Amino acid sequence: TGKCFRAVEMYKHTQTTYASPNHESIYASGSSNHFIKVFDASGTTLSMIYYHDGFLGQRMGPISCLSFHPYKMVLAAGATDGIISIYR
């Protein structure tokens, strides 16, 4: 059986998806509460992308899938509202 070497509390809400690139020691996690967190290997939050309601605000639905580009630091996020967003 495998053993857990690190447990990190990421959300107080439901985590719906997770992604990690092959070439970096970071990972991203998406939530049904309309936000994405990017972490380093120690569990420190590096970035948070979230729903913002405003004139030029970024809009997103509940996050349903995440994927990193295989060679670049680019993250794609899909939401249940049918929108796919690309982040650098």
Side-chain angles (χ1 to χ4, degrees), residues 6-11 27 39 41-44:
R6 178 180 301 270
V8 178
E9 181 180 351
M10 294 186 275
Y11 296 107
Y27 53 95
F39 300 89
S42 68
T44 303

Side-chain angles (χ1 to χ4, degrees), residues 24-66:
E24 296 289 335
S25 58
I26 64 168
Y27 53 95
S29 178
S31 170
S32 59
N33 284 19
H34 310 261
F35 63 89
I36 301 165
K37 284 186 178 181
V38 180
F39 300 89
D40 66 11
S42 68
T44 303
T45 301
L46 300 175
S47 181
M48 188 166 158
I49 305 163
Y50 56 92
Y51 177 88
H52 177 73
D53 190 19
F55 176 66
L56 294 175
Q58 179 175 333
R59 306 186 191 280
M60 68 172 62
I63 305 304
S64 58
C65 59
L66 293 172

Side-chain angles (χ1 to χ4, degrees), residues 21 23-24 26 38 68-75 87-88:
H23 59 284
E24 296 289 335
I26 64 168
V38 180
F68 280 97
H69 187 279
Y71 307 111
K72 299 177 183 177
M73 285 306 302
V74 176
L75 175 66
Y87 302 98
R88 286 194 278 161

